[in-house]
Amino acid sequence: MPEYDLLLLRFGEITIKGKNRSRFEKAALSHVKLLLRAYPRTEARKDYGRIYVVLNGEPAHEIIDALKNVFGVTSISPMNTVSSNLEDILSGATSFMKGISWAGEKTFKVSAKRAWKGFPHPSLEMNKLVSTPILMAVPGLKVDVHHPAVNLRVEIREQETYLYTEVIQAAGGYPLGSNGKAMLLLSGGIDSPVAGWSAMRRGLEIECVHFHSYPFTSKKAEEKVLNLARVLSSYVGQIKVHLVPFTEIQTILSQSGHDNLMITLMRRAMLRIATRLAENNGALALVTGDSLGQVASQTLSSMNVIGRATDLPLLRPLVMSDKEEIISMARQIGTYELSILPYEDCCTLFVPKSPATNPNLRIIESAEASLTQLTEEIEKAVQGTETLCIRPDQDIDRSTGEEPVVQDKWF
Ligand SMILES: Nc1ncnc2c1ncn2[C@@H]1O[C@H](COP(=O)(O)OP(=O)(O)OP(=O)(O)O)[C@@H](O)[C@H]1O
């Protein structure tokens, strides 16, 4: 393998963002620097539309694996730098190509780019000049300009010249926090962690809100959710989780006399609480893992009635995704195995036999109005919320050894 001394990180769509570009690039650079703390010899700098990481002997591919998760970065190339004179470029390119271990076909082409117009040899001439000593130095190597196994890029700049062959795909999207902050309603299921990752990838800073019904839900269930938040935190350095006590509210809602509307009522109460927490924490939107038609509370009609419980934009990144697509994303981001652990969610205690798929807003609003303590309990839940800051390396142990209290008398 060639000895790499520099990484090139490219931005994608954010380069078209005009005056916001500098703000976005700064956000991406601070995210890169955060992840580079584990590699103290590295130095990161930004240069119009790109970030460069000087490796100073730190391991290129290990660092690329970490930096692939930086939102806003579309691709990464490990590079060799040489000085921008013909002799150094030719000898540098030759030893670079000698360092490659060939698995299949031994074909290549050179793609030179003269970004510095003061360099005396134009790009096409450079392709030929660079290829010649390589063909002499690597036995069995052939040129294939259409489908080469290796494309050696030679980027000639005034200060130095970059040599590279790999363009490794990265997360893309927008840099962390560059589009503001939102509250993610995080259950222990498969969907909401994926929705959270998708929102973060779109440049949103996320704080998580989780509703628990302790002691009817166990501390193990809570631990599972915190571990999911920990996986999400590995993409951004740290993440806040608000743990909301929901038992009293569920008890009150279960007295509405509308068993089949219970899920709708619970979701609306969750949105009202999450909205209050958003206001308290400077967030401008709510994010859920809803996917159209997946369950009774996610029919268009249910979404309509539930969504009206908040004035904030309700973002549903997975709304048009199939379950298979969501599962595949969950596997990719590392949340799937945790999500399928069998711990109970607060709402599963209240799933009615035939939940309404077409709830009526007027009936729901009058049911809520008849529950005189509801607003007060919502405020109490906001006040009783416990907030934790989760980091990727944190040990999470919420276990008290107690089993959840079995509650089978709700309906
Ligand atoms: N206990 C909870 N705490 C926080 N948010 C929740 C909770 N339960 C549900 N939600 C939110 O409501 C959405 C819909 O939940 P529901 O259980 O109906 O669907 P789901 O498809 O199973 O989603 P998930 O896999 O995320 O649990 C979730 O994606 C999540 O955003």
Side-chain angles (χ1 to χ4, degrees), residues 138 278 319 321 325 340 353:
V138 184
V319 73
S321 302
E325 290 164 347
I340 57 172
K353 282 191 194 75

Side-chain angles (χ1 to χ4, degrees), residues 185-193 209-211 267 270 287-290 294-295 297-298 323 345-347:
L185 278 78
L186 181 65
S187 71
I190 295 170
D191 302 351
S192 47
V209 182
H210 176 69
F211 299 87
R267 289 278 180 272
M270 284 181 178
V287 178
T288 69
D290 293 321
Q294 193 167 251
V295 288
S297 58
Q298 296 170 23
K323 195 73 189 182
D345 184 62
C346 67
C347 301

Side-chain angles (χ1 to χ4, degrees), residues 269-289:
M270 284 181 178
L271 290 188
R272 286 172 70 181
I273 294 169
T275 304
R276 289 277 291 107
L277 292 170
E279 282 163 8
N280 291 350
N281 292 281
L284 296 180
L286 306 181
V287 178
T288 69

